[in-house]
Amino acid sequence: MTFDLMLERVRYEGAYPTRERAAEAVHHVLAALGRRLTGDERVDLAQCLPIEAALTLTSQTPTTEHLTGWGFVKDLAARTGATPAVARWDTGAVLAVVARLAGPDLLARILRQLPGGYALLFGQAELRRPEHAAA
């Protein structure tokens, strides 16, 4: 997929009035995601994205701070000056397209790496992992 096509899909998902607004959302959300992903999942996701999007993702240094999905949205809002509602909208629009580009196997790996709450941001069901009782 080209970056232009990615922007068009994000623009459609987010019902943004302009390509520029879609590009802004892509840049902010992928930069925020780049601060959360590490290892093979980060590399593999970058390979699935158009080069411009991959550069935004990989230009960020991953942090050790573990944010839940809601924490991710609040952090994005604080960094961009948007309201949490706008940050959540942008996140959903961008990550829905990213999820399709990544495919189900890579997306499952990404979600296993991230704390709870991210599946919904990618437009997926939030499935709880079974808790095993101590023997």
Side-chain angles (χ1 to χ4, degrees):
M1 173 181 290
T2 66
F3 189 62
D4 287 338
L5 184 54
M6 181 183 187
L7 289 181
E8 284 305 313
R9 291 202 177 157
V10 169
R11 184 177 176 193
Y12 177 80
E13 286 287 334
Y16 296 116
T18 64
R19 284 175 58 90
E20 291 76 21
R21 179 63 185 93
E24 180 181 294
V26 166
H27 174 72
H28 290 309
V29 172
L30 288 180
L33 185 61
R35 289 188 289 275
R36 304 287 154 229
L37 284 181
T38 60
D40 290 342
E41 290 75 19
R42 178 184 173 99
V43 172
D44 293 347
L45 180 59
Q47 291 175 343
C48 294
L49 299 174
I51 188 71
E52 298 89 339
L55 290 172
T56 297
L57 177 82
T58 59
S59 69
Q60 301 300 307
T61 303
T63 179
T64 58
E65 181 182 19
H66 292 282
L67 295 177
T68 64
W70 178 237
F72 177 88
V73 170
K74 291 191 304 185
D75 182 64
L76 181 62
R79 288 175 184 270
T80 62
T83 66
V86 169
R88 172 61 181 95
W89 185 270
D90 290 350
T91 300
V94 173
L95 294 185
V97 173
V98 169
R100 287 194 294 275
L101 290 172
D105 294 338
L106 177 55
L107 182 58
R109 289 176 32 222
I110 289 169
L111 292 175
R112 279 193 297 273
Q113 183 183 114
L114 296 169
Y118 281 84
L120 294 173
L121 299 178
F122 281 95
Q124 306 293 305
E126 183 78 36
L127 301 176
R128 299 186 77 174
R129 295 181 186 128
E131 295 180 27
H132 300 286

